[in-house]
Amino acid sequence: MNREKYDKLRGNVESLLEKKSSSELIKEGLRFTFPTKGRSVFLFIFLLVIFLLYHSFFIENGDVIKNYLGLVKEINEIVIPTFAVIITGYAIFQALANGTALITLITVDEGEKTKFEIYNKFFFGISILYLFIIVFNLLIYIIFSNVPSDWSIPFFTSKTNNTLAALLISLYIVFIIHSLIELKSFVYNLYQCFKINATTAGIEYLKNLNEVERQRKKALEEEEKKP
């Protein structure tokens, strides 16, 4: 390892050892799950469509609280197994990031961060995101299970209550859709980690093979020099 690579590796390792609070780590991790500009446009259009559907049909023609609780329950049935898959994927990433592959991830930069830091914080961030959804759904279910089915905000008119309910439910659905779409990045990053692990393992094997071949040739040359 040359001096420049050694210094770079040492600097990156020292940055990984910097002490940070749990709130700082959570904020940094969640930043990797923020939607891109293209996805933000898609989610905004989707929000408008869902809002119009709810406001025009579902809100006025159904039991809002009961239907919302049913929606939360169904989403939880998807989110909880998905959270288990994410934790398993995070464990797979930790298993792949070892030996030569780990050194490669730490030394290769992408912007101001190393590949290892990007992947590690992304997997941490998406784990926190789904944990937040599970806790949020639990709180919502506990609160609204104890609220009368015909409850509404007394200070607002019926139309305003329906509009507000449609907006809040639409925002909730869009947030869940964004979280599900983020699984695409989860699978892609896991694939990239596997590819880096396989590549470094292959390079290491070829180096060892070349060294064995070099030693064999050297031994043959020495054998030929003998009288």
Side-chain angles (χ1 to χ4, degrees):
M1 181 183 293
N2 57 47
R3 186 68 188 180
E4 182 180 354
K5 188 175 181 180
Y6 172 84
D7 292 338
K8 185 177 183 180
L9 177 61
R10 181 175 179 179
N12 289 341
V13 168
E14 288 176 351
S15 66
L16 290 174
L17 294 174
E18 290 180 3
K19 291 184 178 181
K20 294 182 180 180
S21 65
S22 59
S23 60
E24 287 178 321
L25 289 174
I26 290 173
K27 287 178 183 178
E28 290 181 7
L30 289 176
R31 284 194 192 102
F32 287 92
T33 65
F34 287 175
T36 59
K37 289 183 178 179
R39 190 186 301 179
S40 297
V41 172
F42 164 76
L43 292 175
F44 180 72
I45 295 172
F46 188 75
L47 172 65
L48 292 178
V49 173
I50 293 296
F51 173 75
L52 291 174
L53 286 173
Y54 260 91
H55 189 264
S56 302
F57 303 103
F58 305 138
I59 292 294
E60 294 182 356
N61 299 325
D63 191 335
V64 177
I65 294 179
K66 184 178 178 181
N67 291 340
Y68 180 55
L69 287 177
L71 177 65
V72 169
K73 186 177 180 181
E74 290 177 5
I75 287 175
N76 249 0
E77 290 177 356
I78 298 173
V79 169
I80 292 175
T82 304
F83 178 67
V85 171
I86 289 171
I87 295 300
T88 303
Y90 197 5
I92 292 172
F93 163 71
Q94 297 293 343
L96 291 174
N98 64 80
T100 308
L102 178 60
I103 300 301
T104 301
L105 289 170
I106 293 176
T107 52
V108 175
D109 294 331
E110 187 172 315
E112 298 180 354
K113 301 181 183 296
T114 64
K115 280 283 189 181
F116 176 80
E117 190 175 2
I118 290 172
Y119 289 141
N120 192 41
K121 287 185 177 178
F122 170 79
F123 286 120
F124 176 71
I126 197 170
S127 300
I128 293 296
L129 176 64
Y130 272 78
L131 181 60
F132 169 78
I133 293 173
I134 293 171
V135 174
F136 179 78
N137 284 349
L138 176 62
L139 293 175
I140 289 296
Y141 199 83
I142 291 173
I143 292 171
F144 282 96
S145 292
N146 296 288
V147 172
S149 59
D150 59 347
W151 179 85
S152 61
I153 301 175
F155 306 105
F156 297 154
T157 63
S158 177
K159 185 177 181 180
T160 303
N161 272 297
N162 288 340
T163 301
L164 183 60
L167 178 61
L168 293 176
I169 293 174
S170 300
L171 287 170
Y172 172 77
I173 292 174
V174 168
F175 176 69
I176 296 298
I177 292 298
H178 161 66
S179 302
L180 292 174
I181 293 175
E182 195 62 25
L183 291 175
K184 173 180 67 69
S185 300
F186 167 78
V187 174
Y188 175 77
N189 286 338
L190 198 59
Y191 164 78
Q192 288 292 97
C193 292
F194 178 78
K195 186 171 73 171
I196 291 171
N197 182 272
T199 302
T200 52
I203 292 172
E204 190 70 19
Y205 175 79
L206 290 174
K207 284 182 179 179
N208 293 335
L209 196 64
N210 289 335
E211 181 63 22
V212 170
E213 185 65 20
R214 190 182 68 82
Q215 293 292 344
R216 189 182 70 83
K217 288 182 179 180
K218 184 178 179 181
L220 288 174
E221 290 175 357
E222 290 179 354
E223 188 69 25
E224 289 175 356
K225 291 179 181 178
K226 291 181 180 180

